[in-house]
Amino acid sequence: MLNDRQLRQLLDSLSTAVLALDDSLLICYLNAAAEDLLAGSNTRVHGLPLRELVREPRSAQEAMRAALASGERYTVRQAHWHLHNLEQRTVDYSVSPVPELGLLLVEMQPMDRLLRIAREDALLSAQETTRNLVRGMAHEVKNPLGGIRGAAQLLQRELPDEELAEYTQIIIDEADRLRNLVDRLLGPNQPAAIESTNVHEILERVAQLIDAECDGQLRIRRDYDPSIPEFPADTEQLIQALLNIARNAMQAIDESIGLGAGEITLRTRIQRRFTIGRRCCPLVCRIEIEDNGPGIPEEIRDRIFYPMISGRAEGSGLGLSISQNIINQHRGLIKCDSRPGQSVFQIYLPLDTE
């Protein structure tokens, strides 16, 4: 038979978080995985009510008491727990009464990482589908444009009156404008020039360009992690991708609160074992571009990376689509969290050298 010490060692070796409660819903035991999940040590929380560790609706505790009375087990999916340290967790948990001991055994599985991976996988899939659709449509539009432009040039040469050439020139100019628009939809047409890249040199270049465009009226804050190593990337393409995001922020600030009251923060951090799609990257550079502008309108928030979607009347709706395309070419991920007064674009770039 196993003694108490051996039983605790056995439970502590589990990857599943296990919590034991008495019939008053006081905490009797946390294994090591539960300590990590709930951010509390077994010694410190022993004897405390569960509600002091985890805030849940009153109905959740009533269900636990009903399980103690009936002896029936139940499972809750994707419960949103607010911890004592103000952090939040999404968990699946199963409650199993142990009548012989007068205990409730709660087995918990954290779901935040799995849900994030699923969301990012769906985002990457949608981005890839959109990109392929746009490229196909762009090629279909581009092919007849050359014919239209050529026919207009031939017609221009044959016109007896030079004044009529004004109309054929309009056709030529508009065909050129559409061709340039299609080229922007297709993204960079040159192969990536991969070289050893310093992310902070890229951000400083972006800051320099934004500062010049707004005549120094906009405050630009830096919050850099100097430990981020150089990594292989196309420097010019990354400058373009980040500049599109920062320029959008600058223009939104200018149109809402004014450049003098605006602020953009450029932030870098290292993240370890971060999953991009289905690929687990041992080391990732996270770049954040944060602004205190009006935020992205809620009705387009889920579609901002689609071409031709813009929150500004004068916007082309191509900047973020191009940025997304460039980041995806670097096997990275771009996300956005936005609300009035704060928008944060997060760019994740793997640092491995494959």
Side-chain angles (χ1 to χ4, degrees), residues 28-95:
C28 298
Y29 173 73
L30 296 176
N31 72 344
E35 289 180 333
D36 290 338
L37 176 64
L38 302 179
S41 69
N42 183 47
T43 304
R44 189 177 67 82
V45 303
H46 186 273
L48 293 179
L50 177 61
R51 65 177 178 273
E52 291 192 16
L53 192 62
V54 175
R55 291 201 302 275
E56 255 205 309
R58 184 183 300 273
S59 58
Q61 295 201 12
E62 291 174 354
M64 288 182 179
R65 291 191 176 91
L68 269 172
S70 65
E72 294 182 359
R73 174 177 177 168
Y74 69 92
T75 299
V76 177
R77 302 293 183 191
Q78 295 188 22
H80 299 288
W81 283 1
H82 298 269
L83 303 187
H84 59 99
N85 61 357
L86 304 182
E87 293 183 6
Q88 297 184 27
R89 297 283 189 273
T90 303
V91 299
D92 286 356
Y93 68 91
S94 296
V95 176

Side-chain angles (χ1 to χ4, degrees), residues 9-36:
Q9 288 179 334
L10 184 64
L11 288 172
D12 283 341
S13 68
L14 295 175
S15 59
T16 301
V18 177
L19 163 70
L21 303 172
D22 66 13
D23 53 7
S24 298
L25 301 186
L26 302 179
I27 298 170
C28 298
Y29 173 73
L30 296 176
N31 72 344
E35 289 180 333
D36 290 338

Side-chain angles (χ1 to χ4, degrees), residues 108-266:
M108 301 163 286
Q109 285 286 353
M111 300 300 295
D112 297 274
R113 183 169 182 270
L114 293 175
L115 291 171
R116 179 181 62 77
I117 290 172
R119 284 195 300 268
E120 290 173 0
D121 197 27
L123 177 63
L124 286 171
S125 178
Q127 290 174 356
E128 179 68 21
T129 301
T130 302
R131 186 165 59 253
N132 290 336
L133 176 62
V134 167
R135 292 181 72 87
M137 290 180 63
H139 280 297
E140 290 299 320
V141 171
K142 192 173 183 179
N143 289 336
L145 280 178
I148 294 172
R149 191 183 194 281
Q153 287 177 317
L154 290 173
L155 181 60
Q156 191 175 56
R157 296 193 193 110
E158 299 296 329
L159 288 174
D161 188 345
E162 289 187 2
E163 291 184 1
L164 296 176
E166 177 185 350
Y167 301 108
T168 54
Q169 190 59 47
I170 290 174
I171 297 173
I172 293 170
D173 291 343
E174 287 301 294
D176 288 342
R177 186 178 66 83
L178 286 174
R179 183 190 61 198
N180 292 334
L181 178 63
V182 168
D183 286 340
R184 292 178 65 192
L185 281 171
L186 291 172
N189 55 10
Q190 298 293 328
I194 301 298
E195 59 184 357
S196 184
T197 301
N198 184 302
V199 68
H200 299 126
E201 290 180 1
I202 290 175
L203 287 170
E204 283 303 301
R205 178 62 176 159
V206 170
Q208 183 183 36
L209 292 169
I210 291 295
D211 191 60
E213 288 185 24
C214 66
D215 294 327
Q217 298 180 62
L218 180 66
R219 183 183 180 192
I220 301 177
R221 294 182 62 250
R222 281 86 162 171
D223 182 7
Y224 295 160
D225 180 351
S227 69
I228 298 176
E230 293 190 349
F231 58 95
D234 186 314
T235 301
E236 293 303 319
Q237 285 192 15
L238 285 185
I239 289 174
Q240 186 62 58
L242 301 181
L243 181 61
N244 288 347
I245 297 170
R247 183 176 285 138
N248 278 358
M250 177 194 70
Q251 292 169 344
I253 288 171
D254 189 24
E255 294 176 1
S256 57
I257 61 175
L259 293 175
E263 180 177 282
I264 292 178
T265 301
L266 306 177

